[in-house]
Amino acid sequence: MSAAEQGSSRRGLLVCAPLRIEAHAVRRGLTRRAVPAERTVEGTAERTAEGAAERTAEGTAERTAEGTAERGAVSVARTGFGPRRSARRAAELARQPFRTMAVTGLGGALDRDLRPGEIVVATEVRADGGDWPVVECPSAPLLAGELRRAGLAARTGPVVTTAGLVHGPGRQRLAATGALVADMESAPLAAAAGGRPVAVLRAVSDGPGRPLLHPATVSGGVAALRALHRAGPVLRRWGDAAADRKVLLAGPRSFCAGVERAIEIVERVLARHGPPVYVRRQIVHNAHVVGSLADRGAVFVEELDEVPDGCVVVFSAHGVAPAVRAEAARRGLEVVDATCPLVAKVHTEARRFADQGYQVVLIGHAGHDEVEGTLGEAPGMVTLAETAEDVDRLRPADGSRVAYLMQTTLAVEEARSVQEALQRRFPSARGPGTDDICYATTNRQQAIQVVAADADLVLVVGSANSSNSVRLVETARRAGPPAYLIEDVAQIQLGWLAPARVIGLTAGASAPPALVNEVIAALRGLGRVEVEERVIATESVSFSLPKEVRPS
């Protein structure tokens, strides 16, 4: 085996670029990371990398990138301009034992909203005319998210390869197919990956609004080359993250019965009354759910003074204080209450204890919508305790008349420590008749404990304001592995994935199941994925709908 072939066999990431200038821009970005930032004064690392590349003869640089003197198992291959040259080069590259491939270069925007210097990460690559098979790029959301964190404007969508330059009506026709960017090389090169992880990244150099032969095309090309340069370290991280993995899927996960009920209530109110339908606070604490309902005509408000008189208003799953209900009645608002029945149970307990003369201690988190509603059930008689230290500061009028309740979405261990402190100080303290922490919260925490014990990394899908999702992250971390809360797949950092071969995955009770599926799909874009589900309980709970939205 020749030295060049030995170098090729050691390749991890193979980066393809059509023209020398594009390959140079990407190579500079890839090389920039070679000089540790902490050992250089500001800017020296970049100057060193760029100067080294510029001082190297072109032929030597090409051989270095493609063979014997690789940097970090990454190589750059110049593939030639246009579909014919790239197809010939693709046939050669397909036989080489690289692990992952990234196809890069400039591209022409088909979407008028794209600007020069923006990057399109392909979700799929297809050929106009069907000369090559459609190649799916499932890891596109991961790569695009990493590019955005690096300060680059990035979008995901289809990329189409054409037989020649297109403009005017040709771009309009391609745009109608949903493609964002056109190029003349990606389809044959992506097909050469042959099932190995592949990413396609095109920096926009020009748009459909002006002819190619225009002075602005030059400045657009410069902006696109700068973007390719800056994308280099991100491509390296993407290559480092590629690996076969096992996903341990916690069960139960995602929507609980209370969340499903709340969402269905808003959907039914929209269907019955038409938009706009006002919802006080987020119906559930998940940005994707809220965004989807907003797109269909739901208007989310913080307080009732934002709701016009006489309109329909839905109270969120977290419940409201009696003062809010009274305000709605005074203004003649038509109310549909989506409060979770398990939250309503805590409200009932608070009123009952307060009516019996107890000082009620609510174990929970300040500022949470559910806590605000419970505190409002008996103002002056319900006190919040977030920690054991808060218990020490309690000064009830009668220490023998103390009761306690809990926010339904707490971590079991966290709540227990406050409860035990309360019972030590007030041995006669009364608790709820049944657990306040809801079944869904408990089940999801127990499931993630089982999964985290065998995982290198845990990902929890959920919004930052979702208490039960945050508690899942805390529970996973107590079990040992690093754990992160992600709104969706785009928030997964490639650096988290690089050392992890077994990933625990779950979702908070307010996170849509589809988001979990999207994470698994994206991981499959980095290598083979084996999914093992570990179910600790089967949930069959359901709640009836309020009379205002029941089928007639």
Side-chain angles (χ1 to χ4, degrees), residues 2 29 36 38 66 114 139 150 172 197 212 214 231 263 278 319 376 392 408 410 483 506 513 517 532:
S2 69
E38 63 271 18
E66 295 187 73
L114 285 168
S139 68
Q172 293 175 11
L212 287 174
H214 188 280
I263 295 171
Y278 292 87
D392 294 337
T408 63
L410 294 180
T506 190
N517 297 334
E532 177 184 323

Side-chain angles (χ1 to χ4, degrees), residues 27 30 36 65 100 117 143 173 201 228 238 262 290 299 369 430 434 471 519 541:
R27 185 182 296 114
L30 290 165
T100 56
L143 182 53
R173 177 180 61 81
L201 180 155
L228 284 182
W238 176 82
V290 170
V299 178
D369 290 341
R430 292 185 58 185
T434 58
R471 305 290 86 78
V519 171
V541 176

Side-chain angles (χ1 to χ4, degrees), residues 213-234:
L213 297 178
H214 188 280
T217 303
V218 176
S219 61
V222 171
L225 290 170
R226 285 176 179 161
L228 284 182
H229 174 210
R230 293 175 60 196
V234 177

